[in-house]
Coordinates of all heavy atoms in Angstrom, one line a residue:
M115 N 15.5 -38.3 4.2 CA 14.6 -37.3 4.5 C 13.6 -37.8 5.6 O 13.2 -37.0 6.5 CB 13.9 -36.8 3.2 CG 12.9 -35.7 3.4 SD 13.8 -34.2 3.8 CE 12.5 -33.1 3.8
T116 N 13.1 -39.0 5.4 CA 12.2 -39.5 6.4 C 12.8 -39.7 7.7 O 12.1 -39.6 8.7 CB 11.6 -40.8 5.9 OG1 12.6 -41.8 5.7 CG2 10.8 -40.6 4.6
D117 N 14.1 -40.0 7.8 CA 14.8 -40.1 9.1 C 14.7 -38.8 9.8 O 14.5 -38.7 11.0 CB 16.2 -40.5 8.9 CG 16.3 -41.9 8.3 OD1 15.4 -42.7 8.5 OD2 17.3 -42.2 7.7
I118 N 14.9 -37.7 9.1 CA 14.9 -36.4 9.7 C 13.5 -36.1 10.2 O 13.3 -35.6 11.3 CB 15.3 -35.3 8.7 CG1 16.8 -35.5 8.4 CG2 15.1 -33.9 9.3 CD1 17.3 -34.6 7.3
L119 N 12.5 -36.4 9.4 CA 11.1 -36.2 9.8 C 10.7 -37.0 11.0 O 10.0 -36.6 11.9 CB 10.1 -36.4 8.6 CG 10.2 -35.4 7.5 CD1 9.3 -35.8 6.4 CD2 9.9 -34.0 8.0
N120 N 11.2 -38.3 11.0 CA 10.9 -39.1 12.2 C 11.6 -38.6 13.4 O 11.0 -38.7 14.5 CB 11.3 -40.6 11.9 CG 10.4 -41.2 10.9 OD1 9.2 -40.9 10.8 ND2 10.9 -42.2 10.1
A121 N 12.8 -38.1 13.3 CA 13.5 -37.6 14.5 C 12.7 -36.3 15.0 O 12.6 -36.1 16.2 CB 14.9 -37.2 14.1
M122 N 12.3 -35.5 14.1 CA 11.5 -34.3 14.5 C 10.2 -34.7 15.1 O 9.7 -34.1 16.0 CB 11.3 -33.4 13.3 CG 12.6 -32.7 12.8 SD 12.4 -31.8 11.3 CE 11.4 -30.4 11.9
A123 N 9.6 -35.7 14.6 CA 8.3 -36.2 15.1 C 8.5 -36.7 16.5 O 7.6 -36.5 17.4 CB 7.7 -37.3 14.2
Q124 N 9.6 -37.4 16.8 CA 9.8 -37.9 18.1 C 10.1 -36.8 19.1 O 9.8 -36.8 20.3 CB 11.0 -38.9 18.1 CG 10.7 -40.2 17.5 CD 11.9 -41.1 17.4 OE1 13.0 -40.7 17.7 NE2 11.7 -42.3 17.0
A125 N 10.6 -35.7 18.6 CA 10.9 -34.5 19.4 C 9.6 -33.9 19.9 O 9.5 -33.2 20.9 CB 11.7 -33.5 18.7
V126 N 8.5 -34.0 19.0 CA 7.2 -33.4 19.4 C 6.7 -34.1 20.6 O 6.2 -33.5 21.6 CB 6.3 -33.4 18.2 CG1 4.9 -33.0 18.6 CG2 6.8 -32.5 17.1
G127 N 6.7 -35.5 20.6 CA 6.5 -36.3 21.8 C 5.1 -36.6 22.1 O 4.8 -37.1 23.2
D128 N 4.1 -36.5 21.3 CA 2.7 -36.9 21.6 C 2.4 -38.1 20.7 O 3.1 -38.5 19.8 CB 1.7 -35.8 21.5 CG 1.6 -35.2 20.1 OD1 2.4 -35.6 19.3 OD2 0.7 -34.4 19.9
A129 N 1.2 -38.7 21.0 CA 0.8 -39.9 20.3 C 0.6 -39.7 18.8 O 0.8 -40.5 18.0 CB -0.5 -40.5 20.9
N130 N 0.2 -38.5 18.5 CA -0.1 -38.2 17.1 C 1.0 -37.2 16.5 O 0.7 -36.2 16.0 CB -1.5 -37.5 17.0 CG -2.1 -37.6 15.6 OD1 -1.5 -38.2 14.7 ND2 -3.2 -37.0 15.4
S131 N 2.2 -37.7 16.7 CA 3.3 -36.8 16.4 C 3.5 -36.4 14.9 O 3.9 -35.3 14.6 CB 4.6 -37.4 16.9 OG 4.8 -38.7 16.3
N132 N 3.2 -37.3 14.0 CA 3.3 -37.0 12.6 C 2.3 -35.9 12.2 O 2.7 -35.0 11.4 CB 3.1 -38.2 11.7 CG 4.3 -39.1 11.7 OD1 5.4 -38.7 12.0 ND2 4.0 -40.4 11.5
A133 N 1.1 -35.9 12.7 CA 0.1 -34.9 12.4 C 0.6 -33.6 13.1 O 0.4 -32.5 12.5 CB -1.2 -35.3 12.9
S134 N 1.1 -33.6 14.3 CA 1.6 -32.4 14.9 C 2.8 -31.8 14.1 O 2.9 -30.6 14.0 CB 2.1 -32.7 16.3 OG 1.0 -33.1 17.1
L135 N 3.7 -32.7 13.7 CA 4.8 -32.2 12.9 C 4.3 -31.5 11.6 O 4.8 -30.4 11.3 CB 5.8 -33.4 12.6 CG 7.0 -33.0 11.8 CD1 7.9 -32.1 12.5 CD2 7.7 -34.3 11.4
G136 N 3.4 -32.1 11.0 CA 2.9 -31.6 9.7 C 2.2 -30.2 10.0 O 2.3 -29.3 9.2
A137 N 1.5 -30.1 11.2 CA 0.8 -28.9 11.5 C 1.8 -27.8 11.8 O 1.6 -26.6 11.4 CB -0.1 -29.1 12.7
F138 N 2.9 -28.1 12.4 CA 4.0 -27.1 12.7 C 4.7 -26.7 11.4 O 5.0 -25.5 11.2 CB 5.0 -27.6 13.7 CG 4.4 -27.7 15.1 CD1 4.6 -28.9 15.9 CD2 3.7 -26.7 15.7 CE1 4.1 -29.0 17.1 CE2 3.2 -26.8 16.9 CZ 3.4 -27.9 17.7
I139 N 4.9 -27.6 10.5 CA 5.5 -27.2 9.3 C 4.6 -26.4 8.4 O 5.0 -25.4 7.8 CB 6.0 -28.5 8.5 CG1 7.2 -29.2 9.2 CG2 6.4 -28.2 7.0 CD1 7.6 -30.5 8.6
G140 N 3.3 -26.8 8.4 CA 2.3 -26.0 7.7 C 2.2 -24.6 8.3 O 2.0 -23.6 7.6
A141 N 2.2 -24.5 9.6 CA 2.1 -23.1 10.3 C 3.3 -22.3 9.9 O 3.2 -21.1 9.6 CB 2.1 -23.3 11.8
G142 N 4.5 -22.9 9.8 CA 5.7 -22.1 9.4 C 5.5 -21.6 7.9 O 5.9 -20.5 7.6
L143 N 5.0 -22.5 7.1 CA 4.8 -22.1 5.7 C 3.7 -21.0 5.6 O 3.8 -20.1 4.7 CB 4.4 -23.3 4.8 CG 5.5 -24.3 4.6 CD1 5.0 -25.6 3.9 CD2 6.7 -23.7 3.9
A144 N 2.7 -21.1 6.4 CA 1.6 -20.1 6.4 C 2.1 -18.8 6.9 O 1.7 -17.7 6.4 CB 0.4 -20.6 7.2
A145 N 3.1 -18.8 7.8 CA 3.6 -17.5 8.3 C 4.4 -16.8 7.2 O 4.6 -15.6 7.4 CB 4.5 -17.8 9.5
I146 N 4.8 -17.5 6.2 CA 5.6 -16.8 5.1 C 4.7 -15.8 4.4 O 5.2 -14.9 3.8 CB 6.2 -17.9 4.2 CG1 7.2 -18.7 4.9 CG2 6.8 -17.2 2.9 CD1 7.8 -19.8 4.1
G147 N 3.4 -16.0 4.5 CA 2.4 -15.1 3.9 C 2.6 -13.6 4.4 O 2.3 -12.7 3.6
G148 N 3.0 -13.5 5.6 CA 3.3 -12.1 6.1 C 4.5 -11.5 5.4 O 4.5 -10.2 5.3
L149 N 5.4 -12.2 4.9 CA 6.5 -11.7 4.2 C 6.1 -11.1 2.9 O 6.5 -10.0 2.6 CB 7.6 -12.8 4.0 CG 8.8 -12.4 3.2 CD1 9.7 -11.5 4.1 CD2 9.6 -13.7 2.8
G150 N 5.3 -11.7 2.2 CA 4.8 -11.2 0.9 C 4.0 -9.9 1.1 O 4.1 -9.0 0.3
A151 N 3.2 -9.9 2.1 CA 2.4 -8.7 2.4 C 3.3 -7.5 2.7 O 3.1 -6.4 2.3 CB 1.4 -8.9 3.5
G152 N 4.3 -7.7 3.5 CA 5.3 -6.7 3.9 C 6.0 -6.1 2.6 O 6.2 -4.9 2.5
I153 N 6.5 -7.0 1.8 CA 7.2 -6.6 0.6 C 6.2 -5.8 -0.3 O 6.6 -4.8 -0.9 CB 7.8 -7.8 -0.2 CG1 8.9 -8.5 0.7 CG2 8.2 -7.5 -1.6 CD1 9.4 -9.8 0.1
G154 N 5.0 -6.3 -0.5 CA 4.0 -5.6 -1.3 C 3.7 -4.2 -0.8 O 3.6 -3.3 -1.6
Q155 N 3.5 -4.1 0.5 CA 3.2 -2.8 1.1 C 4.4 -1.8 0.9 O 4.2 -0.6 0.6 CB 2.8 -2.9 2.5 CG 1.5 -3.5 2.7 CD 1.1 -3.7 4.2 OE1 1.9 -3.3 5.1 NE2 -0.1 -4.3 4.5
G156 N 5.6 -2.3 1.1 CA 6.7 -1.4 0.9 C 6.9 -1.0 -0.5 O 7.2 0.2 -0.8
Y157 N 6.6 -1.8 -1.4 CA 6.7 -1.5 -2.9 C 5.6 -0.5 -3.2 O 5.9 0.5 -3.9 CB 6.5 -2.8 -3.7 CG 6.7 -2.5 -5.2 CD1 7.9 -2.3 -5.7 CD2 5.6 -2.5 -6.0 CE1 8.1 -2.1 -7.1 CE2 5.7 -2.3 -7.4 CZ 7.0 -2.1 -7.9 OH 7.1 -1.9 -9.3
A158 N 4.4 -0.7 -2.7 CA 3.3 0.3 -3.0 C 3.6 1.6 -2.4 O 3.3 2.7 -3.0 CB 2.0 -0.3 -2.4
A159 N 4.1 1.7 -1.2 CA 4.5 3.0 -0.6 C 5.5 3.7 -1.4 O 5.5 4.9 -1.5 CB 4.9 2.8 0.9
G160 N 6.5 3.0 -1.8 CA 7.6 3.6 -2.7 C 7.0 4.2 -3.9 O 7.4 5.3 -4.4
K161 N 6.1 3.4 -4.6 CA 5.5 3.9 -5.8 C 4.6 5.1 -5.6 O 4.5 6.0 -6.4 CB 4.8 2.8 -6.6 CG 5.7 1.7 -7.1 CD 6.6 2.3 -8.2 CE 7.5 1.3 -8.8 NZ 8.4 1.8 -9.8
A162 N 3.9 5.1 -4.4 CA 3.1 6.2 -4.1 C 3.9 7.5 -3.9 O 3.5 8.6 -4.3 CB 2.3 5.9 -2.8
C163 N 5.1 7.3 -3.2 CA 6.0 8.5 -3.1 C 6.4 9.0 -4.4 O 6.5 10.2 -4.6 CB 7.2 8.1 -2.2 SG 6.7 7.9 -0.5
E164 N 6.7 8.1 -5.3 CA 7.2 8.5 -6.7 C 6.0 9.2 -7.4 O 6.3 10.3 -8.1 CB 7.6 7.3 -7.5 CG 8.9 6.7 -7.1 CD 9.2 5.5 -7.9 OE1 8.5 5.2 -9.0 OE2 10.2 4.7 -7.5
A165 N 4.8 8.7 -7.3 CA 3.7 9.4 -7.9 C 3.4 10.7 -7.4 O 3.1 11.7 -8.1 CB 2.4 8.5 -7.8
I166 N 3.5 10.9 -6.0 CA 3.3 12.2 -5.4 C 4.4 13.2 -5.8 O 4.2 14.4 -6.1 CB 3.2 12.1 -3.9 CG1 1.9 11.3 -3.6 CG2 3.2 13.4 -3.2 CD1 1.8 10.9 -2.1
A167 N 5.6 12.7 -6.0 CA 6.7 13.6 -6.4 C 6.5 14.0 -7.8 O 6.9 15.2 -8.2 CB 8.0 12.8 -6.3
R168 N 5.9 13.2 -8.7 CA 5.7 13.6 -10.1 C 4.5 14.5 -10.2 O 4.5 15.4 -11.1 CB 5.5 12.3 -10.9 CG 6.7 11.5 -11.1 CD 6.3 10.2 -11.9 NE 7.4 9.3 -11.8 CZ 8.1 8.9 -12.9 NH1 7.8 9.4 -14.1 NH2 9.0 8.0 -12.8
N169 N 3.5 14.3 -9.4 CA 2.3 15.1 -9.5 C 1.7 15.4 -8.1 O 0.9 14.7 -7.6 CB 1.3 14.3 -10.4 CG 0.1 15.2 -10.8 OD1 0.0 16.3 -10.5 ND2 -0.8 14.5 -11.6
P170 N 2.2 16.5 -7.5 CA 1.8 16.8 -6.1 C 0.3 17.1 -6.0 O -0.2 17.0 -4.9 CB 2.7 18.0 -5.8 CG 3.8 18.0 -6.7 CD 3.3 17.4 -8.0
E171 N -0.4 17.5 -7.1 CA -1.8 17.9 -6.9 C -2.6 16.7 -6.7 O -3.8 16.8 -6.2 CB -2.3 18.6 -8.2 CG -1.6 19.9 -8.5 CD -0.3 19.8 -9.2 OE1 0.0 18.8 -9.9 OE2 0.5 20.7 -9.1
M172 N -2.2 15.5 -7.0 CA -2.9 14.3 -6.8 C -2.6 13.5 -5.5 O -2.9 12.4 -5.4 CB -2.7 13.3 -8.0 CG -3.1 13.8 -9.3 SD -4.9 14.1 -9.4 CE -5.5 12.4 -9.4
E173 N -2.0 14.3 -4.6 CA -1.6 13.6 -3.3 C -2.7 12.9 -2.6 O -2.5 11.8 -2.2 CB -0.9 14.7 -2.4 CG -0.5 14.1 -1.1 CD 0.0 15.2 -0.1 OE1 0.0 16.4 -0.5 OE2 0.4 14.8 1.0
S174 N -3.8 13.6 -2.4 CA -4.9 13.0 -1.6 C -5.5 11.7 -2.3 O -5.7 10.7 -1.6 CB -6.1 14.0 -1.4 OG -6.6 14.3 -2.6
R175 N -5.6 11.7 -3.6 CA -6.1 10.5 -4.3 C -5.1 9.4 -4.3 O -5.4 8.2 -4.1 CB -6.4 10.9 -5.8 CG -6.9 9.7 -6.5 CD -7.6 10.0 -7.7 NE -8.0 8.7 -8.3 CZ -8.9 8.6 -9.3 NH1 -9.4 9.7 -9.8 NH2 -9.2 7.4 -9.7
V176 N -3.8 9.7 -4.5 CA -2.8 8.7 -4.4 C -2.7 8.1 -3.0 O -2.6 6.9 -2.8 CB -1.4 9.2 -4.8 CG1 -0.3 8.3 -4.6 CG2 -1.4 9.6 -6.3
R177 N -2.8 8.9 -2.0 CA -2.7 8.4 -0.6 C -3.9 7.5 -0.3 O -3.8 6.5 0.3 CB -2.7 9.6 0.4 CG -2.6 9.1 1.8 CD -2.6 10.2 2.9 NE -2.1 11.5 2.4 CZ -2.8 12.6 2.4 NH1 -4.1 12.6 2.7 NH2 -2.3 13.8 2.0
T178 N -5.1 7.9 -0.8 CA -6.3 7.1 -0.6 C -6.1 5.7 -1.2 O -6.4 4.7 -0.6 CB -7.5 7.8 -1.1 OG1 -7.7 9.1 -0.5 CG2 -8.8 7.0 -0.9
L179 N -5.7 5.7 -2.5 CA -5.5 4.4 -3.2 C -4.4 3.6 -2.5 O -4.6 2.4 -2.5 CB -5.2 4.7 -4.6 CG -6.3 5.2 -5.5 CD1 -5.8 5.6 -6.9 CD2 -7.4 4.2 -5.6
M180 N -3.4 4.2 -2.0 CA -2.3 3.5 -1.4 C -2.8 2.8 -0.1 O -2.5 1.7 0.2 CB -1.1 4.3 -1.0 CG 0.1 3.5 -0.5 SD 1.3 4.5 0.3 CE 0.5 5.0 1.8
I181 N -3.6 3.6 0.7 CA -4.2 3.0 1.9 C -5.1 1.9 1.7 O -5.1 0.8 2.4 CB -4.8 4.1 2.8 CG1 -3.8 5.1 3.3 CG2 -5.7 3.6 3.9 CD1 -4.3 6.3 4.0
V182 N -5.9 2.0 0.6 CA -6.8 0.9 0.3 C -6.0 -0.3 -0.2 O -6.3 -1.5 0.2 CB -7.8 1.3 -0.8 CG1 -8.6 0.1 -1.4 CG2 -8.8 2.3 -0.3
G183 N -5.0 -0.1 -1.0 CA -4.1 -1.2 -1.4 C -3.4 -1.9 -0.2 O -3.2 -3.1 -0.2
A184 N -2.9 -1.1 0.7 CA -2.2 -1.6 1.9 C -3.2 -2.4 2.7 O -2.8 -3.5 3.3 CB -1.6 -0.5 2.7
A185 N -4.4 -2.0 2.8 CA -5.4 -2.7 3.6 C -5.7 -4.1 3.0 O -5.8 -5.1 3.7 CB -6.7 -1.9 3.8
I186 N -5.8 -4.1 1.7 CA -6.1 -5.4 1.0 C -4.9 -6.3 1.1 O -5.0 -7.5 1.4 CB -6.4 -5.1 -0.5 CG1 -7.7 -4.4 -0.6 CG2 -6.4 -6.4 -1.3 CD1 -8.1 -3.9 -2.0
A187 N -3.7 -5.8 1.0 CA -2.5 -6.6 1.2 C -2.4 -7.1 2.7 O -1.9 -8.2 2.9 CB -1.2 -5.8 0.9
E188 N -2.8 -6.3 3.6 CA -2.7 -6.7 5.0 C -3.7 -7.8 5.3 O -3.4 -8.6 6.2 CB -3.0 -5.5 5.9 CG -2.7 -5.7 7.4 CD -1.2 -5.9 7.6 OE1 -0.4 -5.4 6.9 OE2 -0.9 -6.7 8.6
T189 N -4.8 -7.9 4.6 CA -5.8 -9.0 4.9 C -5.1 -10.3 4.6 O -5.4 -11.3 5.3 CB -7.1 -8.8 4.1 OG1 -6.7 -8.7 2.7 CG2 -7.8 -7.6 4.5
S190 N -4.3 -10.4 3.5 CA -3.7 -11.7 3.2 C -2.7 -12.1 4.4 O -2.6 -13.2 4.7 CB -2.9 -11.6 1.9 OG -1.8 -10.7 2.0
A191 N -2.0 -11.1 5.0 CA -1.1 -11.4 6.1 C -1.9 -11.8 7.3 O -1.5 -12.8 8.0 CB -0.3 -10.2 6.4
I192 N -3.1 -11.2 7.5 CA -3.9 -11.6 8.7 C -4.5 -13.0 8.4 O -4.5 -13.8 9.4 CB -5.0 -10.6 8.9 CG1 -4.4 -9.3 9.4 CG2 -6.1 -11.1 9.8 CD1 -5.4 -8.1 9.4
Y193 N -4.9 -13.3 7.2 CA -5.4 -14.7 6.9 C -4.3 -15.7 7.1 O -4.6 -16.8 7.7 CB -5.9 -14.8 5.5 CG -7.2 -14.0 5.3 CD1 -7.5 -13.4 4.1 CD2 -8.2 -13.9 6.3 CE1 -8.7 -12.8 3.8 CE2 -9.4 -13.3 6.1 CZ -9.6 -12.7 4.8 OH -10.8 -12.0 4.6
S194 N -3.1 -15.4 6.7 CA -2.0 -16.4 6.9 C -1.7 -16.6 8.4 O -1.4 -17.6 8.9 CB -0.8 -16.0 6.1 OG -0.2 -14.8 6.6
L195 N -1.8 -15.5 9.2 CA -1.6 -15.6 10.6 C -2.7 -16.4 11.3 O -2.4 -17.3 12.1 CB -1.6 -14.2 11.3 CG -1.5 -14.1 12.8 CD1 -0.2 -14.7 13.3 CD2 -1.8 -12.8 13.3
I196 N -3.9 -16.3 10.8 CA -5.0 -17.1 11.4 C -4.8 -18.5 11.1 O -5.0 -19.4 11.9 CB -6.4 -16.6 10.9 CG1 -6.7 -15.2 11.5 CG2 -7.5 -17.6 11.1 CD1 -7.9 -14.5 10.9
V197 N -4.4 -18.8 9.8 CA -4.2 -20.2 9.4 C -3.0 -20.8 10.3 O -3.1 -22.0 10.8 CB -3.8 -20.3 7.9 CG1 -3.3 -21.7 7.6 CG2 -5.1 -20.0 7.1
A198 N -2.0 -20.1 10.5 CA -0.8 -20.5 11.3 C -1.3 -20.8 12.7 O -0.9 -21.9 13.3 CB 0.3 -19.5 11.2
L199 N -2.0 -19.9 13.3 CA -2.5 -20.1 14.7 C -3.4 -21.3 14.8 O -3.4 -22.1 15.8 CB -3.2 -18.8 15.2 CG -2.2 -17.7 15.5 CD1 -3.0 -16.4 15.8 CD2 -1.2 -18.0 16.5
L200 N -4.3 -21.5 13.8 CA -5.2 -22.6 13.8 C -4.4 -23.9 13.7 O -4.7 -24.9 14.4 CB -6.2 -22.5 12.7 CG -7.4 -21.5 12.9 CD1 -8.2 -21.4 11.7 CD2 -8.2 -22.0 14.1
L201 N -3.4 -24.0 12.9 CA -2.6 -25.2 12.7 C -1.8 -25.5 14.0 O -1.7 -26.6 14.4 CB -1.6 -25.0 11.6 CG -2.2 -25.1 10.2 CD1 -1.2 -24.8 9.1 CD2 -2.8 -26.5 9.9
I202 N -1.3 -24.5 14.7 CA -0.5 -24.7 15.9 C -1.5 -25.1 17.1 O -1.2 -26.1 17.7 CB 0.3 -23.4 16.3 CG1 1.4 -23.2 15.3 CG2 0.8 -23.6 17.7 CD1 2.1 -21.9 15.4
F203 N -2.5 -24.4 17.3 CA -3.3 -24.6 18.5 C -4.5 -25.5 18.4 O -5.0 -26.0 19.3 CB -3.8 -23.3 19.1 CG -2.6 -22.4 19.6 CD1 -2.3 -21.3 18.9 CD2 -1.9 -22.8 20.7 CE1 -1.2 -20.5 19.3 CE2 -0.8 -22.1 21.1 CZ -0.5 -20.9 20.4
V204 N -5.0 -25.8 17.1 CA -6.1 -26.7 16.9 C -5.7 -28.0 16.4 O -6.0 -29.1 16.9 CB -7.2 -26.0 16.1 CG1 -8.4 -26.9 15.8 CG2 -7.7 -24.7 16.8
V205 N -5.0 -28.0 15.2 CA -4.7 -29.2 14.5 C -3.7 -30.0 15.2 O -3.7 -31.2 15.3 CB -4.3 -28.9 13.1 CG1 -3.8 -30.1 12.3 CG2 -5.4 -28.2 12.3
S206 N -2.7 -29.4 15.9 CA -1.6 -30.1 16.5 C -2.0 -30.8 17.8 O -1.2 -31.5 18.4 CB -0.4 -29.2 16.7 OG -0.7 -28.2 17.7
K207 N -3.2 -30.5 18.3 CA -3.6 -31.1 19.6 C -4.2 -32.4 19.4 O -4.7 -32.8 18.5 CB -4.6 -30.2 20.3 CG -4.0 -28.8 20.7 CD -3.0 -29.0 21.7 CE -2.4 -27.6 22.0 NZ -1.2 -27.6 22.7

């Protein structure tokens, strides 16, 4: 395992290659946060459609709650994007 990491570190090619390699791996892991947000938003939208189908009179309230929930889920994706960008452009330098 360390041989693979050392080979990847040599591919980065700067003096602080192990730190850069760690930053790139961390950025990739942080980018996975967008996956969870996408799955959560899709699930919430599906459940909102089911709720509206069961009770059409509550459409405006269900839509409002779904939009608030999607906004909260999206903040976690934005935070993970910010962490990934900071790791790539700040820490790896």
Side-chain angles (χ1 to χ4, degrees):
M115 182 71 176
T116 58
D117 295 333
I118 295 171
L119 291 176
N120 288 333
M122 291 173 69
Q124 288 176 353
V126 173
D128 60 354
N130 201 2
S131 60
N132 285 334
S134 294
L135 178 65
F138 290 131
I139 291 173
L143 292 174
I146 295 175
L149 179 68
I153 292 171
Q155 286 179 1
Y157 184 76
K161 290 298 180 178
C163 288
E164 288 178 11
I166 292 170
R168 290 175 192 243
N169 193 358
E171 294 85 21
M172 297 297 291
E173 177 185 0
S174 63
R175 180 162 179 168
V176 170
R177 185 184 326 120
T178 302
L179 289 173
M180 186 196 71
I181 289 172
V182 169
I186 291 171
E188 192 65 30
T189 58
S190 66
I192 292 171
Y193 289 146
S194 65
L195 175 67
I196 290 171
V197 167
L199 291 175
L200 285 173
L201 286 171
I202 290 172
F203 293 111
V204 176
V205 175
S206 68
K207 298 292 178 196

